[in-house]
Amino acid sequence: MVTNIQTRLLGRDVSFPVEESRFAYWLVVMRLIVGWWFLHAGLDKFLAWPFDASWFVGGAAAGTSLAPIVTLFSDGIMLSFVNVMVPLGQTLIGLGLIVGALTRLAAFFGAFLMTFFYFINGETGGWAHGVITGDLLGLLIFAMIATLGAGRVLGVDAYLAKTEFVRNHPRMRYLIG
Amino acid sequence: MSELTTVERVGLYGGAALLLIGTVGMGLLEIIAGAPHPVSGEGQVVHETLISLSVRSYTILLGLILMATYGITNLATKPPKDTSI
């Protein structure tokens, strides 16, 4: 089974044929594992409610390169927003990946959250184990899921792609798998 | 598959270039020209860096921001051409 991957790099057509019958299998495995990673992280916080992110956005983030933005969320209503949005976001990202619904949107926000974890965990740890950390690899896997549009294999996005709404709003294709 | 505009090229290639410079490029420089970096018993790399870690952080961060900007502007300005897939 040969699939022709049509793709470009630096202005050149570098399309290539791939004989890979396990492509779909791997997309689903990757989605399920990464999805469970985030669903678990989100549900854990809801099950141990209330969740308080102040140690991260106020404490750990201070002095890092993201401090000017992140510390704005360290108290008051902004902190309350983060306390809800982090577990809610993680749960929805995880669910989205597992059921393959709005997969690219979920993967984008997964990468968005990982950016904060990567820099704040890395910088507070002094990059003691180098700059390629598990957080960066997680971020890259989210980017890969978004690039491959992995939601249409055994996913709700396969159904969404055929709906009248998506047909009438082509930009939705950037959000689904 | 369409040709990229200059802004898109900056986002995609500039972003990837900065990400690669911050990780691979500066990593290679540290190996070639940096101080020796023995690994401690706990697996920590103990050494002074050639390039400040915050410079490295900001390089990687700028790369990621450029890539994200490309994605968001692409979504906002370019509806997909082929809607049959």
Side-chain angles (χ1 to χ4, degrees):
Chain A
M1 194 165 54
V2 178
T3 308
N4 195 31
I5 308 283
Q6 296 185 330
T7 186
R8 297 177 69 84
L9 183 66
L10 296 166
R12 290 173 54 205
D13 186 346
V14 288
S15 299
F16 58 98
V18 179
E19 187 174 4
E20 184 50 81
S21 56
R22 293 162 295 269
F23 188 68
Y25 155 84
W26 185 244
L27 287 185
V28 173
V29 169
M30 197 164 59
R31 243 180 50 213
L32 290 179
I33 292 178
V34 177
W36 173 245
W37 174 33
F38 260 55
L39 180 62
H40 178 264
L43 288 180
D44 249 7
K45 294 178 181 69
F46 280 124
L47 291 172
W49 197 257
F51 171 66
D52 182 9
S54 59
W55 68 273
F56 190 76
V57 291
T64 67
S65 52
L66 296 181
I69 298 164
V70 177
T71 50
L72 296 175
F73 292 84
S74 60
D75 54 22
I77 192 164
M78 301 298 260
L79 177 60
S80 307
F81 174 75
V82 171
N83 287 342
V84 174
M85 285 313 290
V86 167
L88 185 63
Q90 286 182 324
T91 304
L92 291 177
I93 290 164
L95 271 179
L97 291 188
I98 287 173
V99 302
L102 296 174
T103 308
R104 282 191 170 127
L105 183 69
F108 172 81
F109 280 111
F112 178 75
L113 275 181
M114 290 314 298
T115 304
F116 293 100
F117 302 153
Y118 170 61
F119 286 104
I120 295 171
N121 290 338
E123 289 183 29
T124 52
W127 299 114
H129 298 277
V131 297
I132 314 289
T133 63
D135 289 337
L136 182 64
L137 297 182
L139 193 162
L140 294 182
I141 288 180
F142 278 120
M144 185 153 66
I145 288 173
T147 305
L148 295 174
R152 274 186 263 178
V153 187
L154 293 181
V156 175
D157 283 343
Y159 164 76
L160 292 179
K162 292 181 190 139
T163 60
E164 199 68 25
F165 183 77
V166 172
R167 286 181 194 284
N168 293 336
H169 298 85
R171 279 198 178 89
M172 281 296 293
R173 287 170 185 278
Y174 289 132
L175 307 182
I176 65 176
Chain B
M1 282 198 298
S2 56
E3 291 295 331
L4 297 172
T5 64
T6 307
V7 176
E8 288 168 335
R9 281 203 187 96
V10 170
L12 266 186
Y13 298 138
L18 287 171
L19 187 58
L20 287 169
I21 289 168
T23 51
V24 184
M26 292 185 188
L28 269 174
L29 261 182
E30 292 290 346
I31 286 177
I32 295 166
H37 40 284
V39 178
S40 77
E42 285 142 4
Q44 291 197 328
V45 181
V46 189
H47 72 125
E48 290 297 316
T49 56
L50 189 68
I51 300 161
S52 133
L53 283 169
S54 61
V55 170
R56 210 164 164 183
S57 255
Y58 281 118
T59 306
I60 296 171
L61 178 60
L62 188 59
L64 292 175
I65 289 172
L66 282 180
M67 283 175 158
T69 309
Y70 162 78
I72 293 166
T73 49
N74 197 41
L75 168 70
T77 58
K78 265 193 182 172
K81 279 184 182 162
D82 187 354
T83 55
S84 64
I85 51 168

